Amino acid sequence: MSTAKRTDTQAPAPHAADSHDLIRVHGARVNNLKDVSVEIPKRRLTVFTGVSGSGKSSLVFDTIAAESQRLINETYSAFVQGFMPTLARPEVDVLDGLTTAIIVDQQRMGGDPRSTVGTATDANAMLRILFSRLGTPHIGPPSAYAFNVPSVRASGAITVERGAKKAVKATFTRTGGMCPRCEGRGAVSDVDLTQLYDDSKSLAEGALTIPGYSMDGWYGRIFSGSGFFDMDKPIRKYTKRELHDLLHREPTKIKVEGINLTYEGLIPKIQKSMLSKDIDALQPHVRAFVERTMTFTTCPECDGTRLSEGARASKIKGVSIADACAMQISDLAAWVRGLDEPSVAPLLTALGQTLDSFTQIGLGYLSLDRPSGTLSGGEAQRTKMIRHLGSSLTDVTYVFDEPTIGLHPHDIQRMNDLLLRLRDKGNTVLVVEHKPQTIAIADHVVDLGPGAGSGGGTVCFEGTVEGLRAGGTVTGRHLDDRAALKETVRKPTGTLEIRGATAHNLQGVDADIPLGVLCVVTGVAGSGKSSLVHGSIPPGKGVVSVDQGAIRGSRRSNPATYTGLLDPIRKAFAKANGVKPALFSANSEGACPTCNGVGVVFTDLAMMAGVSSTCEECEGKRFQASVLDYHLGGRDISEVLAMPVTEAEQFFGAGEARTPAAHRILDRLVDVGLGYLSLGQPLTTLSGGERQRLKLATHMAEEGGVYVLDEPTAGLHLADVQQLLGLLDRLVDSGKSVIVVEHHQAVMAHADWIIDLGPGAGHDGGRIVFEGTPADLVAARSTLTGEHLAAYVGGGTRR
């Protein structure tokens, strides 16, 4: 064998393993994507831009991230996959070079009343272990400090089947930290009996005012057949026994007209059927009933801490776990660092790092006992990021959905640093974003468009930020847009007085919110904006509040059903054809019998991902063939539902199909910039910004004098912000008062009056640091907002 040394100085050939430096997507057709092909560099920060509805989320979330998750799920055994959500393969020809995807989206965190910031992250679990080791008096294991664990005692015999059977006597106890009175909710609910019945009437006269409890149906038969009541006696004349039977009687077997039934008192019955359900998922009339009926008060036994007496009494250095969870997280981190106890050193280090992550990410103003359902979309997204910050994983794909939502310009720099930190650890970071500050830090930009809906779904530009600026696409042209301050501002017609507001972190704030103008409430994240606006302006008569909460809707819901547009359309079809309106509903009599009006048929493949295919009978049109023989203005109902809003507006505006009621709703949808949506598009396919504008269009019909909007620019492309400002102007000019919680400088510059809260977040905020016109704010430059707005307005002139 030759031992001659190599003398050539050529670099060794690259290793085959290093050639996979791109995520390649070819022929993506999910939602509105039109055979999109892109190559995304790995271990870089790629930003996806484009107008709202152009297909960004379809490419990033529904194609790349969805396929990555599906492939990971397939590595588990079929048994484990049975417990996971089944994911269908996205419509795409080639997806190459994928890595594990971690999705950090804006879905609000669980609305469960026992879910808090502490339980949603691991901070609470670590605190419980800490108290079970160091707390005095010692009361038990970590579960003794958990408000989600009730105390249990049980005794009995258990039979062990092993050879000859033998019974073993056992006593079982578990110490939990749940307050027995409020069951760990921190509040006790009471039922307002006056909302359940009118006590001057008898049951036969319809005394019950609960939705659905009419005496003409089954409920009437159950009450009369039970034999417990005199149906003609007014409720106020009931004996104690009768009233107890009506309200609280435990389930009792009865026989009515030969049928075995169960009678149960009203309160336990509605507790199960209505009061314990997620309030947002209820039908509007039932929700209104629940809101009227339930009264919540702080639990008198645990004083809202959710914890049992023992858990509250056990302390470390005079601080109980309830006190620790109520502290602002930045203060709690300092307290934890002050505990020097070698026996739990690793735990203290881990807890300290988790709490410091909150501060780094700009959430140091929260407390661990804050219910997670009260976090805004941006706060929820940043809370989900916490568990990934200290992760040692590299070569992971992180997918973010507008991480700057809810962030003041001052806070965006912090978010940018965080995205770059994740990238520098060797991860691929994909971000869907509209804010120029974040687009500017991208290594690679993919711009989708040119329009929205069917007018989008193609790649308009791929390359660097400089290339985007010079590229001439809609995003490139608007990247350096600057709104100018208004030369004149409107004069208020009145004021809405707020005195001594103390919700959350507000420190006795007095404010005069001007009416009849566009008023913007701003300030850094956590300064108390939402507390001031939503906590002090009660939603009621004359106040229309449009928040960012998700629209609850199944795949059967669409813009036509949500806005009430389908009613006048169905009536117009029915009138033109002399048939009943129910035929023109895919959820009612007109539904295709094969797919039940869904348009697709789901085939369950047991342990493998199910397949959905277009229904062959109705070809995805959702209606029976006979219904499609009826026409209005030369179109059948499925063709009308397939129309974009702009086309439908013309269709129902004149000619044979003229329907003023439908035309009014379509007008409002065009007004909020949703002209590209088709009437029958499932709500589940809409982006966050589209959902909020759909809500706004629906609420514009209400008779409200004051409109409260929560960040209406969320999910809006720079080019669409101009249209939104026009809409806000039209609302104000029509005599409405508009109050907007907003961070976008273009909206601030356009305001007639600005209220700036701060100066910081949490207990460093909660005060008004400026009230006045945008011009005065820029001139004074006395606050963070003033400095950023001055820099923004000075950065160029309006196009």
Side-chain angles (χ1 to χ4, degrees), residues 541-580:
K541 207 165 167 54
V543 176
V544 176
S545 183
V546 185
D547 62 7
Q548 288 182 19
I551 291 175
R552 304 245 169 195
S554 66
R555 52 180 306 117
R556 288 175 177 276
S557 315
N558 52 44
T561 57
Y562 183 77
T563 55
L565 172 66
L566 204 54
D567 284 344
I569 291 179
R570 281 201 300 250
K571 284 175 186 156
F573 264 96
K575 193 174 173 190
N577 294 285
V579 290
K580 55 183 179 180

Side-chain angles (χ1 to χ4, degrees), residues 299-315:
C299 171
E301 207 154 295
C302 67
D303 203 17
T305 60
R306 307 159 178 255
L307 290 158
S308 64
E309 196 177 340
R312 299 197 305 276
S314 178
K315 298 187 175 182

Side-chain angles (χ1 to χ4, degrees), residues 378-578:
E379 286 171 334
Q381 187 178 24
R382 301 203 292 288
T383 304
K384 288 176 197 167
M385 283 173 74
I386 284 173
R387 60 185 49 222
H388 306 304
L389 287 182
S391 167
S392 309
L393 290 173
T394 64
D395 257 338
V396 173
T397 302
Y398 283 97
V399 188
F400 290 99
D401 186 9
E402 280 197 73
T404 57
I405 277 199
L407 287 183
H408 188 268
H410 172 70
D411 301 314
I412 290 179
Q413 188 53 51
R414 213 186 235 155
M415 178 58 71
N416 284 354
D417 294 343
L418 213 125
L419 296 172
L420 293 170
R421 216 168 79 205
L422 284 174
R423 177 202 67 186
D424 293 346
K425 271 169 64 175
N427 297 308
T428 307
V429 182
L430 309 181
V431 184
V432 172
E433 190 50 90
H434 292 294
K435 296 267 171 72
Q437 279 167 276
T438 300
I439 296 173
I441 64 165
D443 301 309
H444 189 74
V445 180
V446 176
D447 189 26
L448 287 143
S454 55
T458 58
V459 174
C460 303
F461 172 83
E462 221 184 326
T464 61
V465 179
E466 282 65 40
L468 177 69
R469 275 202 167 90
T473 65
V474 178
T475 308
R477 286 203 309 274
H478 287 274
L479 207 54
D480 296 316
D481 265 12
R482 293 291 181 266
L485 292 170
K486 290 200 295 197
E487 287 172 19
T488 57
V489 293
R490 302 180 184 91
K491 291 277 177 280
T493 55
T495 53
L496 185 70
E497 289 188 3
I498 294 173
R499 294 289 175 265
T502 53
H504 297 307
N505 65 332
L506 294 178
Q507 301 178 14
V509 169
D510 295 339
D512 291 327
I513 296 181
L515 297 177
V517 298
L518 174 58
C519 174
V520 170
V521 180
T522 185
V524 295
S527 58
K529 306 178 297 297
S530 299
S531 306
L532 179 69
V533 174
H534 297 299
S536 309
I537 304 173
K541 207 165 167 54
V543 176
V544 176
S545 183
V546 185
D547 62 7
Q548 288 182 19
I551 291 175
R552 304 245 169 195
S554 66
R555 52 180 306 117
R556 288 175 177 276
S557 315
N558 52 44
T561 57
Y562 183 77
T563 55
L565 172 66
L566 204 54
D567 284 344
I569 291 179
R570 281 201 300 250
K571 284 175 186 156
F573 264 96
K575 193 174 173 190
N577 294 285

